[in-house]
Amino acid sequence: MSFGAGGWNTRVMIIFNVLHLLGAVFIIGPMAILPMLGLGALRTGNHAMVLRIAASLRVLNYLSLLVAVFGFGLMGTSSPEYKLSVTTPWILTSIILYLVAFLVTTFVVLPTLFTAGRAVTAAGEEKPAGYPALAASSGITALLLVAVVVLMVWKP
């Protein structure tokens, strides 16, 4: 069976590249945006929406691990001339930033969203319970994910 120019390894690398990019767009992108929508739902007192956003975010947060797996696959199938490994500075920094974003989402953003979604907000309350923690942690997560994207594109 012939795979033409580039051979099998090139085809596998292209598949990992496509999966990694699609995951970044359709999993990581919403993972960065959903907490902001949760803030809006909290401000309007729409607790059912906050719970739906939290549930969606939980799924996307764990699916984001697939994006990392596809990234490792892409790194492993890349041409030796690029000398890519986990110790390549921009890759290592990206991994660390992603892990911090994943952990902040898992242990701060999600519990705060679920708690706030279940709480009964007092009428006219300016900032519902958990709002400051959610705003800070979701902002940090978004900035970390933006930094990962910059590193993936820039490759310093």
Side-chain angles (χ1 to χ4, degrees), residues 140-154:
I140 289 167
T141 299
L143 287 174
L144 291 169
L145 294 174
V146 166
V148 170
V149 171
V150 169
L151 287 169
M152 291 286 138
V153 172
W154 182 30

Side-chain angles (χ1 to χ4, degrees), residues 39 42-45 47 116 120-133 135:
L39 289 169
L42 270 178
R43 282 192 304 270
T44 61
H47 295 281
V120 177
T121 305
E125 188 177 347
E126 190 91 3
K127 291 185 181 173
Y131 190 91

Side-chain angles (χ1 to χ4, degrees), residues 58-106:
R58 180 175 46 206
V59 170
L60 289 170
N61 191 47
Y62 289 111
L63 282 176
S64 73
L65 294 169
L66 285 174
V67 180
V69 169
F70 296 145
F72 284 117
L74 179 58
M75 182 180 61
T77 58
S78 67
S79 175
E81 72 185 77
Y82 296 116
K83 299 176 186 166
L84 297 178
S85 76
V86 175
T87 60
T88 304
W90 65 269
I91 293 175
L92 181 60
T93 304
S94 296
I95 292 168
I96 292 168
L97 293 175
Y98 163 74
L99 286 175
V100 171
F102 178 84
L103 292 172
V104 168
T105 300
T106 302

